[in-house]
Amino acid sequence: MAGKFELKKGKTGKFSFNLKSGNGQVVFTSQTYDNKRSATAGIASVKKNASKDTSYERKTSTKKQPYFVMKATNGQVIGKSQMYSNAVSMEKGIKSVGLNAPSADTVDLTVEAPKKKAAPKKAKAAPKKKAAAKKAKAAPKKAAKKAAKKVVKKAKAAPKKAKAAAKKVVKKAKAAPKKAKAAAKKKAPAKAKAKKK
C-alpha cells in the first residue's frame, strides 16, 4: 500500500496534515496553518523536499528521544516526526518519508458530505407512520370489542326474552281453565233447554 497525506481541520479552525506510511502509521505531522491553501502548499513542499537529506534536521527531545524536523528551502519548518526510541528508528522514519511522500495521494478530510434534505422529512413522517400502524393494530381490537359487546347484550337479553315467553305460557295455562269453565257454562244452559223440550 502507498502512503497518503490526510488533510484535516482542527477544532480551532486551523488546518494541518499527517503523512501516513503504507501500513497506516503516522510518520510525519505538519505544523498548523491558518487556511486550507497554505496547508495544501505545505503538502506540496513535503513532496518536493522529502527526497533531499538536507531537508531533515535531526534533533533530540528533553527526554532524550530522537526525532526529526523537515524544513523547506527557505528554512521554514514544515513539520516534524513522532518521537523515536533510538537513532536507528529515526533514520528509518526519514527513509519512510522519503519513500512515501513524493507519490502519496492527499485525502481531504475537511470536505463535509452534502446533507440530505429529505432526511428531516422522513424523520417527521416516521411518527405519523407509527401512529397509523398503531391505529391499524387497534382497529381489529376495536371491532372485536364491539362484536363481543353485542354478543354479551344478546346473551343478557336472552333470559329476559325467555322469562317473558314463560310468563305468556303460564298466563295461557292459567287462562285455559277459565276459558274451559266459561265454555262449559255456555253449553250447560243449552243442554238444559234441550231437556225441557
Side-chain angles (χ1 to χ4, degrees), residues 41-57:
I43 290 170
S45 183
V46 171
K47 285 185 175 189
K48 183 182 175 183
N49 294 290
S51 57
K52 299 173 186 175
D53 190 63
T54 52
S55 300
Y56 300 97
E57 190 177 315

Side-chain angles (χ1 to χ4, degrees), residues 58-79:
R58 286 121 173 121
K59 292 191 170 192
T60 306
S61 72
T62 52
K63 292 182 181 179
K64 296 182 179 179
Q65 289 178 299
Y67 70 99
F68 63 86
V69 170
M70 181 186 279
K71 291 185 176 181
T73 49
N74 62 3
Q76 189 177 355
V77 174
I78 305 166

Side-chain angles (χ1 to χ4, degrees), residues 172-189:
K172 281 183 182 179
K174 284 181 181 179
K178 288 179 182 178
K179 283 182 182 179
K181 281 182 183 180
K185 280 181 183 179
K186 283 181 182 179
K187 284 181 182 177

Side-chain angles (χ1 to χ4, degrees), residues 155-166:
K156 284 181 180 178
K160 289 179 183 178
K161 286 182 182 178
K163 280 182 182 178

Side-chain angles (χ1 to χ4, degrees), residues 25-129:
Q25 188 179 359
V26 175
V27 289
F28 184 82
T29 301
S30 75
Q31 62 172 345
T32 54
Y33 297 90
D34 291 329
N35 55 61
K36 192 174 178 178
R37 184 183 290 178
S38 298
T40 306
I43 290 170
S45 183
V46 171
K47 285 185 175 189
K48 183 182 175 183
N49 294 290
S51 57
K52 299 173 186 175
D53 190 63
T54 52
S55 300
Y56 300 97
E57 190 177 315
R58 286 121 173 121
K59 292 191 170 192
T60 306
S61 72
T62 52
K63 292 182 181 179
K64 296 182 179 179
Q65 289 178 299
Y67 70 99
F68 63 86
V69 170
M70 181 186 279
K71 291 185 176 181
T73 49
N74 62 3
Q76 189 177 355
V77 174
I78 305 166
K80 64 178 183 178
S81 71
Q82 61 178 342
M83 297 295 164
Y84 294 95
S85 57
N86 53 62
V88 175
S89 298
M90 180 189 67
E91 291 301 327
K92 283 182 181 178
I94 291 170
K95 193 176 275 188
S96 179
V97 173
L99 288 169
N100 288 289
S103 60
D105 291 326
T106 302
V107 179
D108 192 347
L109 302 177
T110 66
V111 179
E112 291 181 10
K115 292 177 182 177
K116 292 180 182 178
K117 290 180 181 178
K121 288 181 182 178
K122 284 181 182 178
K124 285 180 183 178
K128 289 181 182 179
K129 283 183 180 179

